[in-house]
């Protein structure tokens, strides 16, 4: 084992699947039976944590886990069973019932008054809520835009150029201090949180794990490239108005300049990204592959479904 | 991208929303203030409702009252 840490620590298990996967990664036990995946709650703590751990091997890995296990066939077989359970549930719960244009139009109107998490934080959020929110979101934002980079080799022409340009912006336009993941770490510092990658994985609630797993699932499978693009579009389109509310929450609570800046930067950047993702990425992809319209739509409906579950969970916790 | 006769700055006009201009740009506003951005594309607010004028902040979007409009994420 290497003398220095090579990644975050493996998380505590939350059931048979996550116990089996983490034990196997420590070279300490057998993998879970794929049948356990077929019978698990597709959005539950156990399956989502086990899947998250499998996917993390493709990002930074874990301290003490052999890097070769990223492509270990028996582990990939268990992962495939969990992915199948998850994706089947998503296709059932986030069905494509309208055209892509209708679904996009639905995202492009803004309610005068909303009820989601960003509205709560804008109106009534205290620092403790903002800290809890940032700790959860850190599971994604400390690797912001990473899952979407996997789609680049699967795009061409206008879609590729547009996607790469947005990703370049997400990755700081060539400057390390402007990488959005770094801006989020700066926000966490303002809020008094630990910026170590993977630090809040044990605290990550199942809906947050589900959201990150959705991106990894769509990003890692070429056959789901349309869904990845739809997911990315949903994030970019809904980000600016929500980021404005969160920037206002950071300002009102005196969270600090970096905390406010992360969100004001996203108001401005995502107003641009939204335009480029619709015109060039979706427009270009549909020119190349018109058959992907339903998959792009699915990426959007699945994202809304998973985001809504996360929002409901956080609001339930805070209003209890 | 350099702004040359071979590669003129590309500007995109849509039906609604902002004017898209290839960056970097320096914008002088009516009050004489100057805004600078080196983003690959900037979105210039055309509706004048933006709180980040001259940049678009999506305030141009159509608003819906509760119970009106299509189902969407609550966030
Ligand atoms: S054009 Fe978008 S806010 Fe004015
Ligand atoms: Fe970003
Ligand atoms: Fe973005």
């Amino acid at each position: 084992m290497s003398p220095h840490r090579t990644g975050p620590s493996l998380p505590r298990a939350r059931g048979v699947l996550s116990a089996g996967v983490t034990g196997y990664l420590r070279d300490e036990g057998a993998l879970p039976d794929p049948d356990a995946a077929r019978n698990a709650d597709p959005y539950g703590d156990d399956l989502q944590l086990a899947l998250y751990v499998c996917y993390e091997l493709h990002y930074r890995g874990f301290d003490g886990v052999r890097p070769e296990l990223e492509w270990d066939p028996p582990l990939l077989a268990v992962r495939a069973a969990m992915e199948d359970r998850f994706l089947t549930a998503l296709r059932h719960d986030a069905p494509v019932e309208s055209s892509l244009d209708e679904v996009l139009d639905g995202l492009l109107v803004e309610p005068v008054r909303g009820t989601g998490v960003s509205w709560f934080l804008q109106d009534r959020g205290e620092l403790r809520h903002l800290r809890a929110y940032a700790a959860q979101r850190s599971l994604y934002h400390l690797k912001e835009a990473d899952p979407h980079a996997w789609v680049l080799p699967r795009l061409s022409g206008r879609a590729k150029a547009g996607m790469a340009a947005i990703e370049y912006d997400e990755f700081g336009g060539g400057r390390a201090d402007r990488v959005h993941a770094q801006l989020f770490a700066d926000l966490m510092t303002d809020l008094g949180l630990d910026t170590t990658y993977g630090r809040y994985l044990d605290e990550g609630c199942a809906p947050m794990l589900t959201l990150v797993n959705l991106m990894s699932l769509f990003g890692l499978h070429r056959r789901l490239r349309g869904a990845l693009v739809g997911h990315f579009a949903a994030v970019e389109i809904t980000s600016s108005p929500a980021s404005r509310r969160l920037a206002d929450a950071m300002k009102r609570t005196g969270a600090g300049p970096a905390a406010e800046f992360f969100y004001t930067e996203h108001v401005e950047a995502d107003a641009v990204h939204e335009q480029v993702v619709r015109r060039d990425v979706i427009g270009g992809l549909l020119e190349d592959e018109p058959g992907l319209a339903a998959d792009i739509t699915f990426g959007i409906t699945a994202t809304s479904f998973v985001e809504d579950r996360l929002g409901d969970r956080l609001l339930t916790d805070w209003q209890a | 991208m350099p702004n040359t006769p071979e590669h003129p700055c590309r500007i995109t006009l849509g039906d609604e929303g902002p004017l898209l201009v290839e960056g970097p740009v320096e914008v002088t506003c009516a009050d004489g203030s100057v805004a600078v951005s080196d983003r690959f594309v900037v979105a210039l607010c055309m509706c004048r409702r933006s709180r980040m004028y001259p940049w678009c902040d999506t305030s141009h979007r159509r608003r819906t009252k509760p119970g009106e409009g299509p189902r969407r994420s609550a966030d």
Side-chain angles (χ1 to χ4, degrees), chain A residues 265-276:
Chain A
E265 163 63 11
H266 277 86
V267 176
E268 189 185 313
D270 290 340
V272 174
H273 297 174
E274 175 245 304
Q275 297 284 338
V276 177

Side-chain angles (χ1 to χ4, degrees), chain A residues 189-207:
Chain A
T189 302
D190 267 1
L191 289 170
L193 296 167
D194 184 342
T195 63
T196 309
Y197 185 90
R199 163 65 183 77
Y200 294 104
L201 178 51
D202 276 327
E203 279 90 335
C205 63

Side-chain angles (χ1 to χ4, degrees), chain A residues 282-294:
Chain A
I282 291 183
L285 182 57
L286 284 177
E287 250 168 44
D288 291 342
E289 302 190 82
L292 289 183

Side-chain angles (χ1 to χ4, degrees), chain A residues 110 112 169 237 245 308, chain B residues 39 61-62 64 71 75:
Chain A
E110 202 41 38
V112 176
D169 214 19
I237 292 171
R245 293 187 280 276
D308 285 352
Chain B
R39 210 178 293 288
R61 287 187 187 169
R62 197 161 59 79
T64 51
R71 161 101 182 111
D75 209 42

Side-chain angles (χ1 to χ4, degrees), chain B residues 43-72:
Chain B
L44 287 179
C45 174
M46 295 286 108
C47 74
R48 296 203 159 243
R49 288 203 290 262
S50 175
R51 280 176 62 189
M52 291 191 143
Y53 195 81
W55 317 123
C56 167
D57 71 354
T58 71
S59 293
H60 61 268
R61 287 187 187 169
R62 197 161 59 79
R63 299 271 164 163
T64 51
K65 302 222 172 60
E68 171 192 305
R71 161 101 182 111
R72 46 150 296 162

